[in-house]
Amino acid sequence: MKNIIPTFLVFLITLTAVHAQKGIDFSLTYPAGGRILMCVDSSARNIVYDNVFPNQPNTSFSYLPEVSNVSLQIYFKKKDPVSDFRYTILVDDKPIVVNKSIDEKLLNNVDRGDEGILRFTTLGVFPLKGKTVTILVYSVERPLYIQKSVLYGRPIPRAKIKLLAKRFATDKGVDYDRITAPKEHVNLALNEKDDELTAVKDKSAIDYLYGISIKDKQTGKMVFESAAWQYGGYVDDIEGYDFHLPYVTIDKSVFKESGSYEIIIQPLINWDSCLDCDFSPDEIEKYTTRHTLSVSLDKQSYTAGELGKYIGISCSLLGVSVGLIMVYIKQRNKKLLAEKDAQKNVAKLQLNSIRAQLNPHFLFNALSGIQNLMNNKEIDSANRYLAKFARLTRNVLDGKELISLSQEWKLLDDYLQMEQLRFGFQYEINYSETLDLDNTEIPSMLLQPFIENAVKHGIAKKPSDGKVLVNFIKQAKDLLLTVSDNGNGFDTAKKRDGLGLLLSERRIDLLNNMYKENSFILAVQSNANGTEISLTLKDWL
């Protein structure tokens, strides 16, 4: 293992030197979806990476408007059958590499100790400014399961509404009144025969990126939201080919009253969930399409005879309805239980995805620490660091979501001893005497990213004067976990851009969705005398 680590570090240094002229920062790696990682220009900002949308679950979208060149890597675990995998790379829909297998001779191995080998290789450096790079990865054993990563290096196009169609009943069925290329302000009259409105959008390669919503301008509330674009029925000629246009149907019932409504089509990107972002509201508005609908509803009036007829029909149906209600309630309860189980399974899958991103982040940071000690000729410290690192990664990559507090204590103690070799600070891990460490479980490595932040950004510059304090505290039925340091603190009002902290916050959000009977409350306090992170697990004990 002593020979493997230096070889890997030399490889990283060589790779950095080879591509230095392209300005790519190889010290910072972003997840790009699936097995793909990416490094981008060191000067690039506004890196919106690894967005996944409900209508395209196997597609990851990264918006990179300031990136000129991108380096792509693909990684595998030792147990993965690398020879089964194929990848295709397209630039602006033109194939650059098609169904290429992985040359295992080019894989670079990183020894994880008892846990095995993690293998990486670089797929190349690609120009991205004003382009779209798409990577498709699949296994020949599961050829229909394709992981698609889209790297978008051009301005996101503003969607256009090609057509608004109002459906109404006729003696022979239904027909439509159509408004082609609607203007910014549209008058829309709806009567008792009208039942739905269809909005048809222009075709693009990234239709899945957009969502459509309708806002009641009188109340300011959204009355309709959807990203479920349908195809078929509306065709447009694009460069000599017939393309089905995406459309959404809107039930008339969303318009409760006559008045002013706004139909909005915009990218479903979380503009706040990226590193070093400064998108202004005006810039985001450039990607948003808005049309004002002045809706007038014709209220239907009934004669006394018609009212009597409808009341009679209603009464005759009431008896049947009462009998069906009991059956419906029973079936609905079964469905709700099934949906609850399905939601929990989805949350578990998302948590596994977050952990899959945290593990490489932890490994790369740890390897950087080893490189730092070796560059400083601290060979003994590097060897001790490696011993701790091997045991720690064996536990970190075990795959268990929940571990006991005693196991968490050992993991954090190993990690702090590793970092103590580099920075020389002091630390303590304390717990309440009434707390049953062996029989109380929490999500694994829950505190490690916060401790890493305390070490590297809190007390790294204070050597022997630095101190990190970790507490496991029992408060009635609540479990309080705290991490504090005596560093210089930071401005809590500013957005934090560390990948580990960002992923940890996303993980806590998912845990809150999964454990609805409990809640995870994260609080941060910081001043010139230090920082304290507290995480309260409500009703956990």
Side-chain angles (χ1 to χ4, degrees):
M1 187 172 70
K2 290 182 179 180
N3 293 330
I4 293 175
I5 296 300
T7 301
F8 179 67
L9 295 177
V10 169
F11 167 75
L12 289 180
I13 294 169
T14 303
L15 186 63
T16 303
V18 167
H19 296 295
Q21 70 271 20
K22 295 183 179 295
I24 293 178
D25 180 5
F26 286 90
S27 67
L28 183 58
T29 303
Y30 300 91
R35 298 177 178 274
I36 302 300
L37 302 172
M38 63 180 176
C39 299
V40 302
D41 308 320
S42 58
S43 61
R45 302 180 64 192
N46 294 331
I47 310 298
V48 186
Y49 61 90
D50 197 16
N51 283 262
V52 179
F53 305 96
N55 51 359
Q56 286 286 67
N58 295 327
T59 297
S60 175
F61 181 88
S62 298
Y63 180 44
L64 311 170
E66 299 182 16
V67 172
S68 296
N69 296 286
V70 60
S71 173
L72 300 176
Q73 298 99 39
I74 189 169
Y75 70 90
F76 301 92
K77 296 179 180 179
K78 184 177 180 180
K79 65 180 181 180
D80 291 334
V82 177
S83 60
D84 289 349
F85 285 88
R86 303 291 185 270
Y87 70 93
T88 294
I89 300 178
L90 304 96
V91 177
D92 291 341
D93 294 331
K94 295 181 180 179
I96 304 300
V97 178
V98 178
N99 290 335
K100 188 172 182 179
S101 60
I102 307 297
D103 187 349
E104 296 192 50
K105 296 179 181 178
L106 299 180
L107 291 174
N108 299 286
N109 296 334
V110 181
D111 196 336
R112 291 179 173 176
D114 294 341
E115 191 63 26
I117 303 295
L118 184 67
R119 297 177 286 178
F120 295 84
T121 189
T122 299
L123 302 183
V125 177
F126 299 88
L128 187 63
K129 195 70 173 180
K131 300 179 182 295
T132 302
V133 175
T134 304
I135 309 99
L136 307 174
V137 180
Y138 71 95
S139 168
V140 294
E141 296 297 323
R142 299 179 65 192
L144 296 180
Y145 181 74
I146 300 174
Q147 294 178 319
K148 181 178 180 181
S149 299
V150 179
L151 313 183
Y152 208 77
R154 60 181 70 191
I156 296 176
R158 175 184 283 183
K160 295 180 181 178
I161 295 181
K162 302 280 288 185
L163 177 74
L164 289 176
K166 180 180 64 172
R167 191 176 77 172
F168 58 91
T170 68
D171 294 338
K172 297 181 179 180
V174 296
D175 202 350
Y176 292 86
D177 281 336
R178 297 172 175 83
I179 304 174
T180 305
K183 296 181 180 179
E184 187 174 338
H185 190 283
V186 177
N187 293 319
L188 185 65
L190 299 174
N191 57 44
E192 69 277 3
K193 293 184 178 181
D194 301 321
D195 64 350
E196 72 179 25
L197 180 69
T198 299
V200 182
K201 189 184 80 66
D202 60 332
K203 181 77 176 81
S204 77
I206 52 173
D207 289 336
Y208 56 85
L209 185 66
Y210 299 93
I212 183 171
S213 57
I214 296 178
K215 181 172 72 173
D216 186 335
K217 298 183 75 172
Q218 289 78 238
T219 63
K221 295 181 178 179
M222 292 294 179
V223 297
F224 176 83
E225 292 179 295
S226 178
W229 298 100
Q230 302 179 62
Y231 295 85
Y234 297 94
V235 178
D236 196 8
D237 185 299
I238 302 176
E239 298 181 354
Y241 294 91
D242 287 339
F243 284 90
H244 289 282
L245 298 180
Y247 69 91
V248 169
T249 58
I250 304 152
D251 194 272
K252 171 189 171 182
S253 63
V254 304
F255 304 105
K256 302 298 183 184
E257 301 288 342
S258 298
S260 184
Y261 294 81
E262 187 175 45
I263 184 168
I264 305 165
I265 302 180
Q266 59 189 347
L268 296 176
I269 290 179
N270 186 352
W271 301 100
D272 297 325
S273 66
C274 63
L275 297 181
D276 198 18
C277 287
D278 59 353
F279 290 104
S280 67
D282 289 341
E283 184 173 359
I284 296 174
E285 185 64 24
K286 292 179 182 178
Y287 311 132
T288 303
T289 299
R290 299 179 187 273
H291 290 265
T292 298
L293 302 178
S294 292
V295 176
S296 59
L297 299 176
D298 291 341
K299 303 294 184 181
Q300 186 170 5
S301 59
Y302 301 98
T303 65
E306 289 174 328
L307 284 173
K309 177 182 176 181
Y310 291 138
I311 290 173
I313 294 173
S314 298
C315 290
S316 64
L317 292 174
L318 182 59
V320 177
S321 300
V322 171
L324 293 174
I325 284 175
M326 298 304 296
V327 176
Y328 168 77
I329 291 175
K330 188 174 181 179
Q331 292 178 340
R332 182 173 178 271
N333 288 337
K334 290 176 64 177
K335 183 179 179 181
L336 288 175
L337 288 173
E339 289 177 349
K340 186 176 181 179
D341 289 340
Q343 290 173 356
K344 184 166 286 190
N345 289 332
V346 170
K348 287 181 179 178
L349 290 173
Q350 292 174 327
L351 279 171
N352 289 337
S353 175
I354 294 294
R355 290 192 65 198
Q357 296 178 59
L358 276 170
N359 287 344
H361 172 78
F362 162 75
L363 290 172
F364 292 145
N365 286 342
L367 289 174
S368 175
I370 297 171
Q371 181 184 28
N372 193 26
L373 289 171
M374 296 184 67
N375 288 341
N376 291 332
K377 308 299 183 182
E378 297 177 32
I379 304 303
D380 290 340
S381 294
N383 285 330
R384 291 197 300 273
Y385 194 107
L386 280 170
K388 295 291 182 183
F389 175 67
R391 186 168 70 177
L392 183 60
T393 51
R394 181 171 63 249
N395 290 296
V396 168
L397 301 175
D398 187 56
K400 292 182 180 178
E401 177 56 33
L402 295 176
I403 62 174
S404 68
L405 280 177
S406 59
Q407 290 174 306
E408 181 79 357
W409 187 94
K410 292 176 183 177
L411 290 175
L412 298 180
D413 188 51
D414 279 345
Y415 177 76
L416 284 165
Q417 287 186 48
M418 286 169 52
E419 294 299 70
Q420 193 179 48
L421 290 171
R422 296 176 57 194
F423 299 110
F425 59 88
Q426 301 300 313
Y427 74 89
E428 292 181 13
I429 304 178
N430 302 314
Y431 57 88
S432 300
E433 292 183 356
T434 57
L435 198 55
D436 188 351
L437 298 184
D438 292 328
N439 295 309
T440 302
E441 292 186 327
I442 64 171
S444 67
M445 294 293 281
L446 191 59
L447 293 181
Q448 187 274 334
F450 303 108
I451 293 177
E452 176 181 328
N453 202 54
V455 171
K456 295 187 176 181
H457 301 292
I459 50 90
K461 297 182 180 180
K462 303 189 74 167
S464 58
D465 294 329
K467 186 169 184 179
V468 175
L469 182 62
V470 181
N471 288 309
F472 299 165
I473 302 171
K474 180 178 181 180
Q475 293 184 338
K477 294 184 178 181
D478 299 340
L479 176 61
L480 174 63
L481 309 174
T482 68
V483 177
S484 59
D485 64 73
N486 63 345
N488 296 326
F490 62 94
D491 186 358
T492 58
K494 293 184 179 179
K495 183 171 65 177
R496 299 181 292 278
D497 58 5
L499 181 58
L501 288 179
L502 180 63
L503 292 174
S504 293
E505 290 173 351
R506 287 171 60 185
R507 185 184 183 196
I508 289 172
D509 289 339
L510 288 171
L511 288 170
N512 278 320
N513 288 333
M514 186 172 174
Y515 297 96
K516 295 186 182 297
E517 66 275 15
N518 312 103
S519 61
F520 292 68
I521 303 173
L522 178 65
V524 180
Q525 294 180 336
S526 186
N527 54 45
N529 297 320
T531 300
E532 180 178 273
I533 304 289
S534 64
L535 183 58
T536 304
L537 283 63
K538 301 292 290 184
D539 294 324
W540 193 261
L541 302 175

